[in-house]
Amino acid sequence: MNFIEELHALQLMVAVRTETPEQAYRAATACIEGGVRFIEITFSVPDAEEVIRKLSKDPRASVGAGTVLKAEEVGKALRAGARYIVSPNFDEEIVALTKKEGAISVPGACTPTEIYLAHTAGADVIKLFPFVEIGGLDFLKVIRGPFPYIRYMLCGGVKLDNISGYLSAGAAGILVGSAIIRPDLVKSEDWLSITENAKMFVGKVEEFSGKR
């Protein structure tokens, strides 16, 4: 399977946003141990590219860079081994550079104009952000009217008790953060509990897809 097919099948991408690179690496590894394949290391993490470099050696993971706001960060991320570039916003230069380098582009957008511009600029998947605040699943249903051919990633608001609704939407993927990597668990270095959280989310996806 290619990236898009695999993401659609597995659904979950976890965004790792911590205060230190050590925490990011441990939290990401805990998620991988729990069965998550798509790991996004945000560039708000100090030395994010070093974390990406270490994680990209793990065959169980498909690692990308998140919160990419500058063109120079694209190069840093890709040289470190990132396969995809995720941003909270749409920046035409970042999308163009990402595609030029042969990587997957996932910019953020929250209006019909932004969504269409990002798509026509070459984005592979549009991250609907902030998903809940722009209308959530109702917004997705409406926006698919004029743009049914665009792939969407749902970013924000997903929890264990509402993930079935997100899965039913049939989006390209679902971006999860603190619902799995809870700040209190990171602070207490309870990596085992983060692994258990990841397992529960992966289990919900498998249950929905009939693999379990």
Side-chain angles (χ1 to χ4, degrees):
M1 289 189 287
N2 63 28
F3 176 90
I4 301 297
E5 292 170 338
E6 191 174 23
L7 177 62
H8 191 269
L10 300 178
Q11 284 289 293
L12 297 177
M13 180 183 290
V14 174
V16 182
R17 188 184 303 277
T18 61
E19 293 181 0
T20 71
E22 293 80 12
Q23 290 172 336
Y25 179 75
R26 294 295 299 274
T29 301
C31 289
I32 295 168
E33 293 288 346
V36 175
R37 176 157 175 77
F38 294 96
I39 302 291
E40 171 200 319
I41 303 299
T42 65
F43 258 68
S44 59
V45 174
D47 297 320
E49 61 266 36
E50 291 306 316
V51 181
I52 291 169
R53 184 171 285 109
K54 287 173 68 177
L55 289 170
S56 64
K57 296 174 183 176
D58 191 328
R60 300 172 297 173
S62 176
V63 185
T67 319
V68 176
L69 303 175
K70 301 174 183 177
E72 57 263 33
E73 292 174 342
V74 175
K76 287 180 180 179
L78 297 182
R79 285 192 296 272
R83 291 186 61 203
Y84 45 95
I85 300 295
V86 185
S87 300
N89 62 308
F90 164 57
D91 184 309
E92 188 173 1
E93 183 183 9
I94 288 175
V95 172
L97 182 56
T98 300
K99 296 311 299 175
K100 181 182 178 183
E101 296 298 325
I104 300 294
S105 172
V106 189
C110 67
T111 69
T113 299
E114 288 176 343
I115 290 166
Y116 184 71
L117 287 175
H119 174 73
T120 56
D124 297 282
V125 179
I126 307 300
K127 182 175 82 169
L128 296 180
F129 173 79
F131 188 57
V132 173
E133 288 78 2
I134 62 176
L137 294 170
D138 288 336
F139 177 83
L140 175 63
K141 183 178 180 180
V142 172
I143 206 67
R144 274 178 165 162
F147 306 132
Y149 48 85
I150 293 178
R151 303 183 190 97
Y152 300 101
M153 177 176 286
L154 315 182
C155 178
V158 65
K159 299 175 184 176
L160 204 59
D161 60 4
N162 69 1
I163 192 173
S164 59
Y166 281 64
L167 293 168
S168 296
I174 301 167
L175 189 59
V176 189
S178 58
I180 292 178
I181 304 177
R182 284 175 22 207
D184 61 309
L185 298 179
V186 174
K187 188 175 181 179
S188 63
E189 299 186 351
D190 189 354
W191 313 119
L192 212 56
S193 290
I194 292 176
T195 294
E196 288 306 311
N197 287 346
K199 283 181 179 177
M200 287 189 284
F201 272 82
V202 170
K204 286 283 188 181
V205 175
E206 291 176 344
E207 187 178 310
F208 182 85
S209 62
K211 293 179 182 176
R212 180 171 147 182

